[in-house]
Amino acid sequence: MSKPAERKDSVWSIGDGAPEETEKRDDSQRSTLFVEKPQSGSVSVGGNITFIAKVEAKDLLRKPNVKWFKGKWMDLASKAGKHLQLKESFERHTKIHTFEMHIIQAKENYAGNYRCEVSYKDKFDSCSFDLEVTESSQAAPSIDIRSAFKRSGDGQDDAGELDFSGLLKRREVKQQEEEPEVDVWELLKNANPSEYEKIAFQYGITDLRGMLKRLKRMRREVKKSAAFAKGLDPAYQVDKGGKVRFMVELADPTVELKWYKNGQEIRPSAKYIFEHKGNQRILFINNCTMTDDARYYVTAGDEKCSTELFVRDPPILVTKGLEDTNTYVGERVELSCEVSEDDANVKWFKNGVELTNEPKSRYRIKVEGKKHTLIIEEAAKNDSATYSVMTTGGQSEAKLSVDLRPLKISLALEDQTVRLGQEIHLKCEISENVEGKWYKNGQLVEASDRVKLYHKGRIHRFIIASAAVDDEGEYMFVPDAYNINIPCKVHVVDPPKLHLDGLGEDNTVTVVAGSKLRLEIPITGEPTPKVMWSRGDKWLTDSGRIRAETYPDSSCLVIDAAEREDSGPFRITLKNEAGEDTALINIKVVDVPDPPQAPNVTEVGEDWCVMTWEPPANDGGSPILGYFIERKKKQSSRWMRLNFELCKETTFEPKKMIEGVAYEVRVFAVNAIGISKPSMPSKSFVPLAVTSPPTLLAVDGVTDTSVTMKWRPPDHIGAAGLDGYVVEYCFEGTDEWIVANPELTDKTKFTINGLPTGSKILVRVKAVNAAGESEPRYHPQPILVKEVVEPPKIRLPRHLKQTYTRRVGETVNLVIPFQGRPRAKVSWQKNGSPIDKNQINIRNTENDTIIFIRKAERSHSGEYDMKVEVENLEDKATIDIQIVDRPGPPEIVTIEDVWGENVNLSWKPPKDDGNAAITGYTIQKADKKSMEWFTVIEHYHRTSATINELVIGNEYYFRIFAENMCGLSEDATMTKESALIAKDGKVYKYPVYDDFDFSERPLFTQPLINTYAVAGYNATLNCSVRGNPKPKITWLKNKVIIMNDPRYRMFSNQGVCTLEIRKPSPYDGGTYTCRAVNELGEAEVDCKLEVKVTQ
């Protein structure tokens, strides 16, 4: 059957959905290219709509490739025409590509799913969108769903707009003698969407998407027509060559009626016959062909009623069925059948599962006219099944049986013996080209970097490039799907070998005498070689002081307590079936050197010494490498290593010893073997050092014939201690130093006597200990031997410049330093009278005086005058000492008044205030019944008080303590009478006081002061004033009132008056006056302001 004609402007609308091939693209190739994607839209029939897609070209070197699709696969680029226009543009400023698709005069069948794809090199992006086309006329209420299986045209203007038959896979149903009437519409409404395609093929519906679109359209609400009492059915179906009848019933029979096919008016002819029966209008179409498959509608005035006619092809028959087939694995299989039509749609099934002709499928379907063939290139065991073929008018099935061929071993595996490191190559050949598995000792062997498995045709190979010991074992090859195996054995051998890399030159091994030698020689060989040791003609056994021990991978020569006689060559021999190996090993026994002689200490310092020694007589057979030195305290048994790096010389200087402690030292000799025994200790020695020079040498006093020097002990004395000092002097101009003290003095002060008056001397002092004399300390300047008069000066401590207060019974100990020479005289007086030395102790020295009172009494209070006299000069100072005690009790306490719950008390201060000011009073009360005292008020300062909140009906006594800085008085004064708190109460009459007159005329409490200001910087004048009523403040400059001048700001706060002059200039200098006025008078204060200009 020939395909229907197609039109550029209509066929592009075919299809729905996105292509499966696109859906299977690798997501890794996708990248977002769209900056604006086309959006779904809706348009009425006959209207226009535009879809826009935008792609950014910033990262693109050329224009991207854009395609527009409808449905899965319909490329719209070839369908452009009067109903479809594709446009593109490029905006250079924004670098945006714009792609547009214009749909003009949309029709109902243009509705569906569309897709826009953009690609650039390896980048890809896709976007789907929907178009909905709404129609104004009513939709048919029902349809035979099988009528939607096919449409075609015959070249008219709108022919072929929904021609699905040429684009979708054809579906046929089984050939049946009689096809029962089935309501497919009801079947589809109740079926699962996954079964739609199966139902469509079964009932001969090839246009599945058109059917689903019709199914969706039929669900729309149908509007009632005014022109048609009964309209056309939604669709009609007729077999090819048959006759179809269209009938409508008019509401008004006079209305003119016209019939159309794909938009072309139908004229009466032998093919098209019109009939009128009352209100019925009938159209007959005779001898229907595939060109009659089209859309028809009838118009009555302005109204239209449409339908669709579907012409069905006759069913496809199976003219030659499939045949049962038996074959072997790996053979090519062809299952063939013949059908009644060329290039018919035929489905293949395996055990009821449909087979597809995809590129990656094992099954290939070949079509040659009416002959259809299913091809399997290399049959496998799992290809055994029941295969069937199905058409729209029939089916056929056959069984395929795939068996294994009998397997024969053409070349078996052979047992191998290989050397270690050589290649293992196992090869076998079988009669069939099948896979297989290799096993070693029953364990599966997988291919790896070391193990290579090869299969080419019927030959299988197992290769290990370098054999190892672990590769020995039983191997076998097992072909897949066959219950046989091909075995062999692999034996790995290795000639014996001695590994002497760790030995020295000439295979010489050195061992220290007395130590144990365990010489381990690594050996290799497969099978494990036999090991034999010999010394001369004597073979060594595995026991004794010199013995041989053998292990799987090594052999050991063991010598217990090596002796010098053990030196010499030893031979080791290895043997196995692959060969033998032998070697000579030289054993050399050496020892540590003898100890050196006892060292000599030649020089001793503060914390160091110098020691020497002689090398040992015997070096133990190895050169002396150096020496280790140790020391210890004589009374200790613990030696301490002094050097951690070998001393190459025979002299050493130990350091960091403790001065004054006896030490001993010893030496060790070291060679390559080890350390000798220690030498004998040296004779004991003691590190000693002189002290550092004395410090702070100064003149303490000078007379006409003597000089007194003083100093401080040395900073560093040392362990030898300090025996004393030597004082030396010499006359200025000479170098002869004279010892002033023939015997050491242990004091830090010394007087040099017998000096000529007026002479000048230089003085130095040395410290002396067991190590000798220290470096001398010199006085920096010559000293004149002449007494100097120093005026007296009392240095009164700061705390004695105020009243010195102490309590009775405390100790008074005052030290007052003074200066004055020579022979300063100190005298004391108390309150102008001499001091009674029986009560107050006075002790005077050359530099200070001390006043001491062991137990102070109040009588010791007073002013103490101190006077220091040097010849006709004197200095005085006064010290005020106050000895305080607790005060006596207050005088008479009187109850002045009692009212309500209150009692008013008054009293007089105590006669004895304890020589200190009264700081307060403590008032206590006591109920007459219990006489228990309770404190009411503490630290009260007045001499009258009111006691509140007393209990009505109780009778109270009161007593008062006086208080000063020493505490409360020992006794208290109690009221003679008691105060009864009457129950009826008593009205308290408040005293009448006259109002106090606070009126005051203005008075400046802080005047203005003369001020210097800097030009350009704000200046302020301040003063304070008081007065009542509050005075009015007025400022004047040069006696002129300052008013409304922005350069001045005036403030008054809490009596403080301020005048601010903003950025003054020399012109602002002058006399400023502040005037305060109230009703009682006025006051003025003035100052001068001078403004300076900075240079």
Side-chain angles (χ1 to χ4, degrees):
M1 183 179 64
S2 61
K3 294 186 179 180
E6 299 177 350
R7 280 180 53 101
K8 257 189 174 183
D9 58 346
S10 58
V11 180
W12 60 269
S13 61
I14 298 174
D16 269 328
E20 296 177 0
E21 291 80 2
T22 303
E23 294 173 357
K24 294 179 181 178
R25 285 181 183 264
D26 188 351
D27 289 342
S28 65
Q29 295 180 352
R30 291 202 173 205
S31 61
T32 303
L33 294 174
F34 285 116
V35 294
E36 181 178 331
K37 298 181 179 181
Q39 304 296 321
S40 300
S42 177
V43 66
S44 300
V45 174
N48 301 335
I49 189 170
T50 301
F51 296 94
I52 300 175
K54 293 184 178 182
V55 178
E56 186 175 9
K58 181 174 63 176
D59 298 329
L60 308 182
L61 300 179
R62 56 180 175 81
K63 184 183 74 174
N65 186 24
V66 175
K67 293 184 179 180
W68 298 85
F69 295 88
K70 184 175 191 302
K72 282 188 176 182
W73 34 257
M74 175 55 67
D75 189 349
L76 302 182
S78 61
K79 308 302 178 183
K82 71 174 186 178
H83 292 287
L84 172 68
Q85 295 180 4
L86 302 178
K87 296 182 180 181
E88 60 184 54
S89 61
F90 177 68
E91 177 62 39
R92 295 185 180 277
H93 297 293
T94 60
K95 294 186 179 181
I96 297 294
H97 288 283
T98 303
F99 301 91
E100 300 179 359
M101 182 179 74
H102 300 278
I103 297 178
I104 304 169
Q105 298 180 2
K107 300 181 181 180
E108 291 184 4
N109 57 348
Y110 292 0
N113 178 262
Y114 292 79
R115 186 176 78 261
C116 180
E117 290 185 0
V118 57
S119 61
Y120 176 80
K121 293 185 178 180
D122 58 343
K123 298 181 180 179
F124 176 81
D125 206 351
S126 176
C127 176
S128 296
F129 56 96
D130 296 319
L131 172 62
E132 182 181 1
V133 181
T134 60
E135 59 178 336
S136 57
S137 60
Q138 77 272 12
S142 62
I143 187 172
D144 179 4
I145 197 64
R146 285 181 294 174
S147 65
F149 76 99
K150 184 175 177 64
R151 292 192 63 186
S152 62
D154 54 0
Q156 294 141 355
D157 286 345
D158 291 334
E161 289 185 352
L162 291 175
D163 185 6
F164 287 90
S165 59
L167 303 174
L168 299 177
K169 188 180 292 184
R170 298 172 59 92
R171 309 290 188 186
E172 287 82 9
V173 298
K174 283 186 181 180
Q175 181 179 357
Q176 297 180 353
E177 293 182 359
E178 293 183 2
E179 181 181 300
E181 290 295 330
V182 178
D183 189 351
V184 184
W185 175 257
E186 290 297 328
L187 193 64
L188 284 172
K189 286 198 299 185
N190 298 326
N192 192 297
S194 62
E195 298 178 356
Y196 284 169
E197 188 171 352
K198 180 180 178 182
I199 297 172
F201 181 84
Q202 183 178 355
Y203 291 98
I205 301 172
T206 59
D207 186 8
L208 178 57
R209 293 201 179 275
M211 174 192 71
L212 297 178
K213 188 185 298 183
R214 176 63 66 186
L215 179 65
K216 180 178 179 182
R217 185 184 299 173
M218 289 302 298
R219 294 175 179 171
R220 298 177 183 170
E221 183 179 355
V222 179
K223 295 183 180 179
K224 189 173 182 180
S225 173
F228 296 97
K230 181 178 180 182
L232 295 172
D233 290 341
Y236 294 85
Q237 174 183 311
V238 65
D239 289 337
K240 185 177 180 181
K243 178 180 179 181
V244 67
R245 173 178 176 269
F246 295 152
M247 187 272 290
V248 296
E249 186 174 341
L250 299 175
D252 182 3
T254 63
V255 175
E256 182 181 1
L257 197 72
K258 291 184 180 181
W259 294 88
Y260 294 87
K261 173 186 175 183
N262 286 339
Q264 298 294 323
E265 186 177 354
I266 301 174
R267 302 296 182 182
S269 64
K271 186 175 181 66
Y272 301 102
I273 300 174
F274 298 93
E275 286 188 4
H276 291 202
K277 289 184 180 181
N279 289 348
Q280 293 181 352
R281 301 293 183 266
I282 302 172
L283 169 65
F284 290 96
I285 303 176
N286 297 319
N287 192 20
C288 290
T289 64
M290 297 308 295
T291 60
D292 295 323
D293 187 286
R295 182 179 179 84
Y296 295 82
Y297 62 89
V298 59
T299 61
D302 295 334
E303 294 196 18
K304 179 173 72 171
C305 181
S306 63
T307 186
E308 293 183 7
L309 175 61
F310 295 91
V311 180
R312 184 170 62 180
D313 272 336
I316 306 299
L317 302 179
V318 179
T319 58
K320 183 179 179 181
L322 302 175
E323 296 181 357
D324 293 342
T325 305
N326 295 325
T327 187
Y328 290 112
V329 173
E331 295 290 337
R332 176 186 171 94
V333 179
E334 293 186 1
L335 300 177
S336 300
C337 71
E338 294 183 3
V339 295
S340 58
E341 297 287 342
D342 290 340
D343 299 329
N345 187 13
V346 175
K347 284 191 175 183
W348 289 87
F349 297 88
K350 175 185 177 182
N351 291 336
V353 179
E354 183 179 357
L355 301 177
T356 59
N357 195 16
E358 296 181 356
K360 297 182 180 180
S361 175
R362 297 185 67 251
Y363 305 97
R364 185 163 58 89
I365 300 173
K366 181 179 179 182
V367 179
E368 297 175 339
K370 297 179 181 180
K371 184 178 180 180
H372 293 253
T373 305
L374 177 66
I375 301 173
I376 305 174
E377 293 295 341
E378 293 184 2
K381 188 72 175 176
N382 57 4
D383 289 328
S384 298
T386 300
Y387 292 83
S388 59
V389 63
M390 181 181 293
T391 67
T392 58
Q395 65 178 9
S396 176
E397 67 179 26
K399 292 184 179 180
L400 174 62
S401 177
V402 182
D403 297 323
L404 295 171
R405 290 181 185 274
L407 187 68
K408 295 181 180 180
I409 301 175
S410 304
L411 178 64
L413 298 176
E414 296 180 354
D415 295 343
Q416 293 187 11
T417 298
V418 297
R419 284 199 173 194
L420 189 70
Q422 293 183 347
E423 181 184 73
I424 299 176
H425 190 168
L426 305 180
K427 178 181 177 182
C428 67
E429 183 178 353
I430 55 180
S431 60
E432 297 297 326
N433 183 10
V434 295
E435 299 287 341
K437 295 180 176 60
W438 290 87
Y439 294 86
K440 173 191 173 185
N441 297 331
Q443 300 294 323
L444 179 65
V445 178
E446 301 285 353
S448 65
D449 294 339
R450 187 170 176 274
V451 179
K452 306 296 182 182
L453 304 180
Y454 298 97
H455 171 213
K456 185 176 181 180
R458 298 177 299 172
I459 298 176
H460 295 264
R461 291 186 297 162
F462 179 99
I463 298 176
I464 298 177
S466 179
V469 176
D470 295 339
D471 293 328
E472 182 171 330
E474 295 184 0
Y475 291 80
M476 67 177 177
F477 174 75
V478 180
D480 290 347
Y482 290 92
N483 190 21
I484 63 173
N485 61 76
I486 307 172
C488 74
K489 294 183 179 179
V490 175
H491 183 43
V492 180
V493 298
D494 184 24
K497 183 174 178 59
L498 290 165
H499 298 274
L500 305 176
D501 299 338
L503 300 182
E505 186 178 358
D506 299 329
N507 295 338
T508 299
V509 177
T510 302
V511 61
V512 178
S515 62
K516 179 178 181 180
L517 170 65
R518 183 178 181 85
L519 177 61
E520 182 175 357
I521 306 298
I523 61 175
T524 56
E526 184 64 30
T528 303
K530 181 180 179 181
V531 184
M532 295 173 289
W533 285 87
S534 64
R535 184 184 183 190
D537 298 333
K538 183 178 180 182
W539 297 96
L540 301 184
T541 63
D542 57 358
S543 62
R545 188 176 66 83
I546 302 177
R547 61 187 181 275
E549 298 178 357
T550 302
Y551 301 95
D553 57 352
S554 64
S555 180
C556 290
L557 174 64
V558 180
I559 303 177
D560 292 332
E563 302 173 356
R564 289 187 179 273
E565 292 76 12
D566 296 332
S567 299
F570 287 77
R571 180 177 294 277
I572 178 172
T573 304
L574 304 181
K575 287 185 180 181
N576 71 357
E577 63 183 65
E580 71 174 67
D581 192 11
T582 184
L584 280 176
I585 299 174
N586 296 316
I587 303 298
K588 180 181 179 182
V589 181
V590 297
D591 203 352
V592 297
D594 292 341
Q597 297 296 322
N600 296 321
V601 177
T602 59
E603 189 177 353
V604 176
E606 177 183 359
D607 61 347
W608 54 272
C609 72
V610 176
M611 56 182 289
T612 60
W613 63 91
E614 295 295 330
N618 184 7
D619 62 3
S622 180
I624 299 297
L625 301 178
Y627 302 91
F628 285 120
I629 296 90
E630 291 184 349
R631 77 169 182 222
K632 75 175 184 69
K633 296 177 183 178
K634 184 177 180 180
Q635 303 301 326
S636 172
S637 60
R638 180 178 179 183
W639 290 90
M640 183 178 70
R641 178 72 55 85
L642 298 183
N643 62 318
F644 294 96
E645 294 183 1
L646 289 176
C647 176
K648 306 295 183 180
E649 307 296 333
T650 56
T651 181
F652 189 76
E653 183 179 344
K655 296 181 179 180
K656 297 183 180 179
M657 291 183 285
I658 301 175
E659 186 181 358
V661 177
Y663 286 91
E664 294 177 347
V665 292
R666 66 182 183 181
V667 182
F668 295 83
V670 181
N671 64 4
I673 309 306
I675 304 175
S676 70
K677 294 181 180 180
S679 68
M680 294 298 293
S682 67
K683 295 182 180 179
S684 63
F685 61 94
V686 179
L688 290 175
V690 297
T691 68
S692 61
T695 60
L696 302 178
L697 177 61
V699 177
D700 188 55
V702 180
T703 66
D704 291 341
T705 59
S706 66
V707 173
T708 302
M709 304 300 294
K710 62 180 180 179
W711 60 89
R712 300 293 296 166
D715 292 334
H716 176 69
I717 295 177
L722 180 63
D723 295 339
Y725 300 95
V726 174
V727 180
E728 297 178 342
Y729 68 94
C730 74
F731 292 99
E732 186 179 22
T734 67
D735 295 331
E736 182 183 356
W737 289 93
I738 303 171
V739 177
N741 55 329
E743 295 183 359
L744 296 178
T745 177
D746 57 352
K747 297 182 179 179
T748 58
K749 188 175 182 180
F750 186 79
T751 301
I752 305 173
N753 297 310
L755 299 175
T757 303
S759 62
K760 289 185 177 182
I761 62 171
L762 297 175
V763 180
R764 68 182 185 185
V765 179
K766 299 178 183 178
V768 181
N769 65 1
E773 295 180 350
S774 71
E775 292 293 327
R777 175 69 66 185
Y778 292 89
H779 189 270
Q781 297 174 352
I783 304 170
L784 177 63
V785 183
K786 183 178 181 181
E787 192 167 17
V788 180
V789 177
E790 181 180 0
K793 177 67 177 178
I794 300 175
R795 300 190 178 278
L796 192 64
R798 182 179 300 177
H799 68 281
L800 296 180
K801 294 180 180 179
Q802 301 174 354
T803 301
Y804 183 77
T805 305
R806 280 290 180 270
R807 295 188 180 184
V808 172
E810 293 182 345
T811 300
V812 177
N813 186 12
L814 304 179
V815 179
I816 299 95
F818 62 86
Q819 64 186 30
R821 296 183 187 280
R823 296 173 294 279
K825 180 181 179 181
V826 181
S827 59
W828 285 91
Q829 287 186 341
K830 176 187 175 185
N831 296 328
S833 302
I835 293 177
D836 186 357
K837 294 184 179 181
N838 294 327
Q839 296 183 359
I840 302 173
N841 296 322
I842 302 294
R843 188 178 64 183
N844 298 325
T845 66
E846 294 182 359
N847 299 317
D848 56 32
T849 179
I850 300 174
I851 181 170
F852 178 78
I853 303 175
R854 184 176 299 279
K855 190 173 182 180
E857 297 179 358
R858 290 175 63 178
S859 60
H860 295 145
S861 300
E863 290 186 355
Y864 290 76
D865 298 320
M866 173 184 173
K867 183 169 65 173
V868 179
E869 296 177 312
V870 176
E871 295 183 354
N872 297 327
L873 303 176
E874 67 177 24
D875 190 18
K876 295 181 179 180
T878 300
I879 301 174
D880 187 4
I881 297 178
Q882 182 180 8
I883 309 300
V884 299
D885 198 2
R886 290 194 292 179
E891 294 193 26
I892 300 171
V893 180
T894 306
I895 298 176
E896 297 292 342
D897 196 3
V898 179
W899 74 98
E901 301 174 358
N902 309 306
V903 173
N904 181 258
L905 302 175
S906 65
W907 62 91
K908 294 182 180 180
K911 291 183 179 180
D912 182 11
D913 59 1
N915 204 21
I918 299 298
T919 58
Y921 299 91
T922 297
I923 305 172
Q924 295 182 343
K925 68 178 180 179
D927 189 1
K928 185 177 181 181
K929 297 178 181 178
S930 63
M931 287 308 291
E932 292 184 7
W933 294 97
F934 298 94
T935 301
V936 180
I937 301 175
E938 291 181 312
H939 314 305
Y940 191 73
H941 299 286
R942 300 181 182 177
T943 56
S944 63
T946 300
I947 312 302
N948 304 318
E949 298 181 359
L950 299 174
V951 179
I952 296 176
N954 288 0
E955 192 171 356
Y956 292 92
Y957 285 98
F958 299 91
R959 67 181 183 184
I960 301 175
F961 293 87
E963 182 180 4
N964 66 2
M965 60 182 296
C966 296
L968 295 177
S969 59
E970 294 183 359
D971 299 323
T973 303
M974 189 176 71
T975 56
K976 295 181 179 179
E977 299 87 7
S978 62
L980 176 63
I981 308 303
K983 293 183 179 181
D984 294 336
K986 183 177 180 181
V987 179
Y988 176 75
K989 294 182 180 179
Y990 291 94
V992 178
Y993 301 101
D994 295 331
D995 293 336
F996 185 82
D997 185 8
F998 291 95
S999 298
E1000 182 182 8
R1001 65 178 293 166
L1003 175 64
F1004 282 95
T1005 58
Q1006 178 65 38
L1008 294 172
I1009 60 176
N1010 295 333
T1011 304
Y1012 293 92
V1014 179
Y1017 293 86
N1018 291 358
T1020 57
L1021 303 178
N1022 299 282
C1023 63
S1024 61
V1025 65
R1026 70 183 185 190
N1028 193 23
K1030 182 178 179 181
K1032 178 182 178 182
I1033 305 301
T1034 304
W1035 288 89
L1036 301 91
K1037 177 187 175 185
N1038 298 330
K1039 303 303 181 181
V1040 178
I1041 296 176
I1042 300 173
M1043 295 180 62
N1044 301 326
D1045 192 335
R1047 294 184 300 112
Y1048 299 91
R1049 294 178 62 189
M1050 306 172 190
F1051 306 92
S1052 179
N1053 184 19
Q1054 299 293 327
V1056 178
C1057 304
T1058 302
L1059 174 66
E1060 181 181 6
I1061 307 170
R1062 297 182 176 180
K1063 297 182 179 180
S1065 64
Y1067 169 78
D1068 293 315
T1071 301
Y1072 286 80
T1073 303
C1074 181
R1075 179 183 297 166
V1077 180
N1078 68 2
E1079 61 187 19
L1080 299 180
E1082 69 177 36
E1084 289 183 355
V1085 64
D1086 55 17
C1087 71
K1088 290 184 179 181
L1089 174 66
E1090 182 179 349
V1091 180
K1092 294 184 176 180
V1093 179
T1094 57
Q1095 298 299 325

